Amino acid sequence: MDILHDITWVLPFRSPALTSLAFALSFLGYSTFIMFFMALGYWGWSKAIFFRVMLLITFSAMLNAYVKDLFQDPRPPLSLRLDDLVGASYGLPSGHAQMSVVIWMWLAYELKRRWVWVLCTLITLGVILSRLYLGAHDLEDVLAGAALGALTLVVFARIKGRRWFWQTNLLWTVALIAVVTSAALLSWPDKGIAPDYVPIVAGWMAGGIIGRYADERTLGYSLSPQCWRRLLATGVGVVAFLALQKLLKYIDASLNPPSLAWPVAKGFIIGCFIALPVPWLLVKLRLASSGSGTGTDKRG
């Protein structure tokens, strides 16, 4: 048996209970969860940590899409697949494996607590195994995705302590994002068309950076040391975020925006919204502090 590509060995393990668990774990790797988790962490946990998570997510998503279309490695046969959300995308490297390593293992690295390392490792392994169980990827796909995610973390860990380029050269940073994204889209493998989420992710990164830059210079959003205020702030953020999503869906459905510019603009709006308007609202509601305040999130 070709263990790297043949996933028939998972079939005897399938059961209704394990299938439900696998779908739940797999959900942790989809964009709906990732975006909400990143936003909630930014508003209610640590804006410094989750800003770095945002940078890791956006870079990893674009890298994964490019490498997928570069290798064009097919997924397991449809007859073995339980997950119908993957569409016609290729399998190598697994985006779920890459993202789970990037998100959860980075959080463990940041927090540096034994129980967090254990919990995040179990979540990462659970997400990876769920992709095999659901037949969305073979072993080669998830190993390559995990390795690419680990390599990204090693590089990022070595540079995270430096003063960020965007902090002193905002316009050049946004220009660099635009140039790199444009170069990737123009050189997409096999003269193909990039997935529609690539320009969204690029806009998200630019919007998040600009929003954070403006926050640091005009607002100084800082989380409250009181847990009830943090929880309430998170709840307000969720309501605001859902309202934004409805507005963006309405624009998609009703106004027929330009196909090229709109994905970038939509990503930019989401990234900036997380980093500036919601923190401003939370400060005005006295669920967070501004400037020197009494907040506890002053890191990086």
Side-chain angles (χ1 to χ4, degrees):
M1 181 178 67
D2 184 357
I3 190 64
L4 290 178
H5 303 102
D6 188 345
I7 64 165
T8 55
W9 58 271
V10 307
L11 300 182
F13 296 100
R14 286 179 174 174
S15 68
L18 284 179
T19 298
S20 297
L21 176 60
F23 273 116
L25 289 168
S26 196
F27 177 71
L28 303 184
Y30 277 111
S31 59
T32 301
F33 170 81
I34 290 174
M35 190 172 293
F36 263 99
F37 180 69
M38 199 287 298
L40 296 181
Y42 192 94
W43 300 324
W45 187 348
S46 168
K47 75 174 184 180
I49 291 177
F50 279 85
F51 180 76
R52 291 191 283 270
V53 170
M54 183 273 289
L55 294 177
L56 282 166
I57 288 172
T58 51
F59 172 78
S60 297
M62 289 191 284
L63 178 63
N64 182 266
Y66 195 92
V67 176
K68 261 183 166 58
D69 283 2
L70 180 64
F71 285 102
Q72 299 186 6
D73 185 64
R75 293 177 183 268
L78 282 171
S79 59
L80 302 179
R81 212 179 297 170
L82 297 180
D83 187 346
D84 59 356
L85 298 177
V86 296
S89 64
Y90 295 108
L92 181 75
S94 165
H96 274 71
Q98 184 177 342
M99 288 297 181
S100 62
V101 169
V102 162
I103 295 172
W104 299 107
M105 302 317 296
W106 181 259
L107 289 177
Y109 172 81
E110 288 265 19
L111 297 176
K112 293 179 173 58
R113 297 178 183 174
R114 181 174 298 179
W115 69 269
V116 176
W117 275 106
V118 173
L119 177 61
C120 289
T121 300
L122 290 176
I123 293 175
T124 300
L125 290 175
V127 173
I128 291 174
L129 291 174
S130 74
R131 304 310 286 164
L132 295 171
Y133 179 93
L134 295 173
H137 288 286
D138 57 33
L139 187 58
E140 181 182 57
D141 296 344
V142 297
L143 289 176
L148 194 57
L151 178 61
T152 302
L153 291 188
V154 170
V155 174
F156 195 74
R158 293 181 66 87
I159 66 174
K160 85 175 186 71
R162 300 178 183 178
R163 184 166 177 80
W164 291 99
F165 187 58
W166 65 268
Q167 292 176 303
T168 54
N169 299 276
L170 179 64
L171 293 180
W172 280 109
T173 300
V174 175
L176 179 62
I177 294 172
V179 168
V180 171
T181 303
S182 299
L185 294 176
L186 291 173
S187 66
W188 207 258
D190 198 29
K191 298 181 180 180
I193 299 176
D196 57 3
Y197 63 82
V198 170
I200 294 176
V201 165
W204 184 21
M205 179 185 288
I209 288 174
I210 290 175
R212 176 78 189 277
Y213 182 90
D215 167 42
E216 289 191 342
R217 280 154 182 76
T218 62
L219 183 65
Y221 172 73
S222 186
L223 279 67
S224 169
Q226 298 172 308
C227 289
W228 72 270
R229 289 184 186 273
R230 291 194 182 204
L231 290 174
L232 190 54
T234 302
V236 171
V238 168
V239 173
F241 196 76
L242 290 175
L244 175 67
Q245 292 297 316
K246 286 188 174 294
L247 175 61
L248 295 177
K249 287 182 179 179
Y250 171 80
I251 295 174
D252 274 331
S254 304
L255 303 183
N256 193 28
S259 58
L260 293 178
W262 174 239
V264 177
K266 183 162 61 173
F268 181 89
I269 291 169
I270 293 172
C272 190
F273 185 79
I274 292 171
L276 188 61
V278 171
W280 176 86
L281 176 62
L282 298 179
V283 169
K284 291 300 181 183
L285 294 174
R286 298 186 178 181
L287 297 176
S289 57
S290 175
S292 57
T294 58
T296 59
D297 189 32
K298 299 295 182 184
R299 292 167 291 174

